[in-house]
Amino acid sequence: MRTIRVETSAATILLTEAPEPKVRDRQTGEIAKDANTGEALMTIGVVYIEEGESSLIKVTVPESGVSEGLALGAPISLPGLVARPWESVFNGQQRHGIAYRSAAVTPAMFPAAMGATA
């Protein structure tokens, strides 16, 4: 499936769930790895706010892309954020959704208030 770049410059993104290892197989506890590099993958929960609307999403990030200094509720940056539609059949039922992936997760600043003067 096609990967779609997500433009984040006009969005506020807040960390809602701390990074944790992405589990590939829940029965065995196997950690998911990047198909190209073999690096362990992590997931984070974020609220993505843009134009007065918000969405809670999970984002996959390579372990080396998780920066120090992340705090729950604080703004973050997701460089290289992409969305990939997916679908699968599980127990005879078709499922679908959007998977999000970023090259990194780093602390950011809240956007300056509109019309504010320095």
Side-chain angles (χ1 to χ4, degrees):
M1 295 235 164
R2 179 157 170 70
T3 298
I4 304 161
R5 276 184 256 242
V6 179
E7 172 57 50
T8 61
S9 63
T12 299
I13 306 169
L14 306 176
L15 186 65
T16 59
E17 294 178 25
E20 59 182 41
K22 181 174 183 170
V23 178
R24 179 173 187 232
D25 185 331
R26 291 185 183 165
Q27 291 181 329
T28 65
E30 178 185 1
I31 302 301
K33 307 272 186 196
D34 182 277
N36 297 323
T37 66
E39 182 176 4
L41 297 173
M42 308 290 283
T43 60
I44 58 170
V46 305
V47 61
Y48 185 96
I49 307 165
E50 187 174 20
E51 295 181 2
E53 295 188 18
S54 65
S55 298
L56 291 170
I57 61 173
K58 293 271 192 182
V59 180
T60 299
V61 181
E63 188 172 33
S64 65
V66 177
S67 298
E68 296 290 322
L70 298 173
L72 291 180
I76 59 168
S77 176
L78 295 171
L81 182 63
V82 295
R84 176 176 291 155
W86 62 269
E87 60 182 47
S88 67
V89 176
F90 183 74
N91 287 336
Q93 293 188 344
Q94 188 162 8
R95 299 172 43 144
H96 61 278
I98 300 173
Y100 294 92
R101 178 131 180 203
S102 180
V105 54
T106 60
M109 308 256 307
F110 281 106
M114 289 213 179
T117 57

